[in-house]
Amino acid sequence: MLEKWQEFLSKFKSLRSLRFRIFLLLVVVGTIPGFLMRYLILHSYEARAVEVQTSTVTTQMRIIANHLINYNYLQDTSSPVINAELEEMSSLYDGRVLIVNDYLKVVKDTYGISTGKTIISEEVVNCFNGNTATHYDEINGYIEMVIPIVATVQEDSIGVDIMGAGAKLNMKQNTTEQVMGVMLISISTDNIQTTLNLLNSRAEALQLIVIVVVIALAGFLSGLLVKPLNKVTKAIAEVKDGFSDSAINVPDYVETVHIVDAFNQLLRRMKILDDSRQEFVSNVSHELKTPITSMKVLADSLLMQPDAPVELYREFMEDIAKEIDRENTIITDLLSLVKMDKTAADLNITEVNINELTEIVCKRLRPIARKRNIEVTFESMRQVKASVDEVKISLVISNLVENAIKYNQEAGSVHVSLDADHQYFVLKVTDTGIGIPEESIHHIYERFYRVDKSHSREIGGTGLGLAITRSAVLMHRGFIDVESTPGVGSTFTVRIPLRYIMQEKKDVENKNHEM
Ligand code: ADP
């Protein structure tokens, strides 16, 4: 039912607007009391008018009934006084009067139709028992009344009063009332109806004016009430179209304040994202430009010396090749970072032996470490198997170990340890390197951030390694932390759930299916 109604509404778009609904509500609430009041007032007027009419006529009929008894009209209908009274009565109320005697015979009918006929009806019979009856026929517009014609009869009775020793005989007179006949009168209610019609037409005119005023007011008020919502839409549209990027403010309703607050929060978030995107793009361009600028300088200086020796050419070409390698590294890192920015649904989760993986990474990096006499050791507390993305976790380990080698002292050491509890495996990479100053510790995961730019560049750093590492750890719902003392060394600790990720992946997949 509700769905059908919604379907119907969707066909008429404007019917779904809040403004139309408020308009409708105001029109209904504004006009219904008018209808109700009109009905109630007219009805109570009618009831009251009928009551007054009935009681007036009843009083007059009772007076006439007394006259009837006095003039012995039930036996002899020739009394001109009574006949005149009855005629006057029927013409006054545009009605008809019937006088019925105790043989249920009509002795007088002001219409002259039923005189001499016998009437046997419930009301008449009841009336002989002293019950008056009134009936209002709304449709045909008349009131019918049945009134008893009552005579007071005096009866003599003899009683004996015993007083002391003697007794006294006394006569008593009792008065009783006796129904001698019945009066039936029907009067027209045309006068009531005429007044009712007049009142009704006036009420209709008044109501029409009220409806017009209510519609106009409802149109105006509905517009006024939805105005703040239109303001919100307009303000959002301005932001969307790029004319404004400042927070919007529509304090008219609590609801608009909530909507606007939510929108402003979204706007702030988008601004932060936009700022970081812009910063990223400018950083990327800068980083990519640096090797190109070096290559251009090297090439130009060669071109400026037409007879430069071959050795110089070789030396410069080697430098150019190094810059190309660097450009390549930056691009590779950037690609890794972009991949990391994708959702966790892109993780390729398999059961991985973390001990083996760490061992492989250490083995691969040992030759580089050996060049600077750095020793890389791996200590495994237990065998760890975890459900992780092997490529990404391998990148995490190699980035940390690589940094531990890169930022180490000559002949220093790197110690990698692996442990696990029932929930996480913990990988620690400790070095005896240069350490990280306290003020830089919070920035090292930022893209392109390097504590010492020139040193990092010298040793081939891009400033992207830890950003990639952190993204990979977060994708696995893990944690990364660092403790460092400048001049002494640093320890990076990574905690990754053993199985948690698998469930997360399923959740994501389920969500995707649902969508
Ligand atoms: P990079 O490619 O420059 O190494 P990273 O994102 O891996 O970039 O690291 C960011 C910065 O953090 C590095 O430039 C370096 O200054 C600092 N850093 C990272 N690891 C270590 C470490 N083990 N010891 C000292 N400093 C480090």
Side-chain angles (χ1 to χ4, degrees):
M1 184 66 196
L2 197 76
E3 274 171 21
K4 278 195 178 161
W5 175 241
Q6 298 274 359
E7 209 175 281
F8 172 76
L9 284 187
S10 67
K11 281 188 192 149
F12 303 92
K13 213 175 166 196
S14 62
L15 297 187
R16 288 174 60 207
S17 79
L18 182 65
R19 184 177 178 181
F20 177 75
R21 288 178 189 196
I22 293 174
F23 172 79
L24 207 66
L25 194 77
L26 292 177
V27 168
V28 169
V29 169
T31 51
I32 280 187
F35 280 104
L36 279 177
M37 264 165 68
R38 184 176 135 198
Y39 176 81
L40 287 176
I41 288 173
L42 291 182
H43 254 257
S44 60
Y45 165 76
E46 191 181 9
R48 180 75 192 134
V50 167
E51 198 185 306
V52 169
Q53 186 89 314
T54 312
S55 89
T56 315
V57 173
T58 310
T59 314
Q60 289 182 3
M61 292 306 289
R62 281 193 199 284
I63 295 166
I64 293 175
N66 280 337
H67 289 178
L68 289 179
I69 295 295
N70 293 342
Y71 280 85
N72 201 18
Y73 192 81
L74 289 169
Q75 271 75 46
D76 176 12
T77 57
S78 62
S79 163
V81 180
I82 301 294
N83 281 336
E85 272 183 12
L86 291 174
E87 287 304 329
E88 195 191 333
M89 190 75 189
S90 59
S91 69
L92 185 65
Y93 291 107
D94 190 15
R96 180 182 183 185
V97 183
L98 274 89
I99 312 289
V100 180
N101 67 12
D102 51 356
Y103 295 109
L104 302 176
K105 201 175 142 197
V106 177
V107 292
K108 172 74 181 172
D109 174 4
T110 51
Y111 277 14
I113 307 165
S114 305
T115 314
K117 288 182 184 168
T118 303
I119 285 187
I120 304 167
S121 78
E122 203 185 329
E123 287 89 359
V124 172
V125 174
N126 277 342
C127 200
F128 273 103
N129 294 327
N131 301 323
T132 54
T134 308
H135 168 66
Y136 171 45
D137 188 331
E138 232 176 301
I139 297 157
N140 299 311
Y142 64 86
I143 307 169
E144 257 184 356
M145 284 166 278
V146 187
I147 295 161
I149 303 167
V150 181
T152 312
V153 181
Q154 290 190 346
E155 285 172 357
D156 294 339
S157 65
I158 300 169
V160 180
D161 286 345
I162 298 163
M163 301 161 77
K168 189 182 168 193
L169 202 70
N170 72 2
M171 291 276 285
K172 270 191 179 173
Q173 278 194 334
N174 290 332
T175 53
T176 52
E177 292 197 326
Q178 200 177 329
V179 181
M180 307 300 286
V182 165
M183 273 176 109
L184 283 152
I185 179 162
S186 64
I187 54 167
S188 157
T189 53
D190 280 357
N191 55 341
I192 297 175
Q193 216 55 52
T194 316
T195 318
L196 260 181
N197 288 345
L198 189 77
L199 281 177
N200 195 24
S201 59
R202 283 197 187 157
E204 253 173 19
L206 197 73
Q207 217 177 350
L208 206 72
I209 295 170
V210 169
I211 289 174
V212 171
V213 171
V214 163
I215 288 177
L217 257 176
F220 173 70
L221 284 177
S222 59
L224 202 70
L225 287 172
V226 297
K227 213 171 171 183
L229 293 181
N230 293 340
K231 267 200 234 169
V232 174
T233 317
K234 208 173 142 208
I236 292 177
E238 278 199 0
V239 174
K240 186 195 80 186
D241 296 338
F243 296 124
S244 152
D245 62 351
S246 51
I248 58 174
N249 183 27
V250 185
D252 306 44
Y253 298 142
V254 176
E255 288 79 2
T256 54
V257 170
H258 287 167
I259 297 174
V260 161
D261 275 354
F263 178 77
N264 285 341
Q265 276 173 26
L266 184 75
L267 200 67
R268 272 198 294 278
R269 214 177 118 69
M270 277 167 57
K271 265 191 199 160
I272 292 168
L273 282 177
D274 196 46
D275 287 351
S276 92
R277 191 180 54 86
Q278 274 183 12
E279 193 193 322
F280 180 61
V281 170
S282 77
N283 281 341
V284 167
S285 337
H286 177 76
E287 293 299 325
L288 290 177
K289 251 183 103 175
T290 316
I292 291 174
T293 317
S294 308
M295 285 188 267
K296 170 89 174 133
V297 171
L298 289 165
D300 278 353
S301 55
L302 275 182
L303 287 173
M304 277 165 65
Q305 301 174 47
D307 32 69
V310 179
E311 293 75 35
L312 197 69
Y313 264 97
R314 175 167 287 281
E315 195 191 321
F316 276 30
M317 284 318 277
E318 272 170 9
D319 287 347
I320 288 176
K322 264 189 211 153
E323 291 302 332
I324 290 173
D325 284 345
R326 183 165 166 71
E327 187 89 28
N328 201 19
T329 318
I330 296 171
I331 291 170
T332 315
D333 277 0
L334 275 173
L335 286 176
S336 306
L337 197 66
V338 170
K339 272 189 207 154
M340 294 292 174
D341 278 348
K342 286 195 184 168
T343 59
D346 290 338
L347 285 175
N348 176 24
I349 304 289
T350 50
E351 190 77 356
V352 179
N353 185 327
I354 306 294
N355 299 69
E356 273 177 22
L357 188 69
T358 317
E359 192 56 71
I360 292 168
V361 173
C362 290
K363 212 170 160 187
R364 185 161 53 80
L365 294 174
R366 267 189 198 114
I368 304 168
R370 222 170 283 135
K371 279 186 198 161
R372 293 177 60 212
N373 268 333
I374 294 167
E375 193 192 2
V376 179
T377 51
F378 172 47
E379 179 192 11
S380 163
M381 314 297 183
R382 65 190 75 234
Q383 282 298 312
V384 179
K385 280 199 173 168
S387 304
V388 291
D389 183 318
E390 186 170 358
V391 177
K392 293 193 170 80
I393 292 299
S394 140
L395 210 59
V396 168
I397 306 169
S398 65
N399 273 348
L400 292 180
V401 178
E402 234 177 300
N403 277 353
I405 299 168
K406 273 197 299 190
Y407 302 103
N408 217 320
Q409 322 272 11
E410 196 65 38
S413 71
V414 175
H415 181 70
V416 183
S417 75
L418 178 67
D419 199 357
D421 55 24
H422 63 287
Q423 224 181 340
Y424 293 92
F425 71 85
V426 184
L427 190 90
K428 276 184 199 269
V429 181
T430 309
D431 63 56
T432 54
I434 55 173
I436 304 161
E438 207 181 329
E439 64 274 15
S440 300
I441 258 186
H442 298 293
H443 300 288
I444 54 172
Y445 303 107
E446 288 168 17
R447 294 171 295 199
F448 297 113
Y449 181 82
R450 280 156 291 189
V451 176
D452 181 346
K453 270 202 178 237
S454 57
H455 178 233
S456 168
R457 243 181 75 79
E458 246 171 57
I459 53 179
T462 59
L464 293 171
L466 284 181
I468 296 169
T469 306
R470 185 168 175 271
S471 289
V473 171
L474 292 184
M475 278 174 96
H476 285 83
R477 303 245 152 190
F479 305 89
I480 182 162
D481 198 14
V482 61
E483 279 170 34
S484 185
T485 316
V488 178
S490 319
T491 300
F492 280 85
T493 308
V494 168
R495 273 159 31 100
I496 307 258
L498 294 167
R499 281 169 299 275
Y500 182 59
I501 280 295
M502 280 301 273
Q503 291 161 5
E504 277 301 306
K505 194 188 173 203
K506 264 186 202 156
D507 282 352
V508 173
E509 274 173 1
N510 286 345
K511 268 181 203 154
N512 286 345
H513 279 301
E514 277 164 26
M515 287 197 290

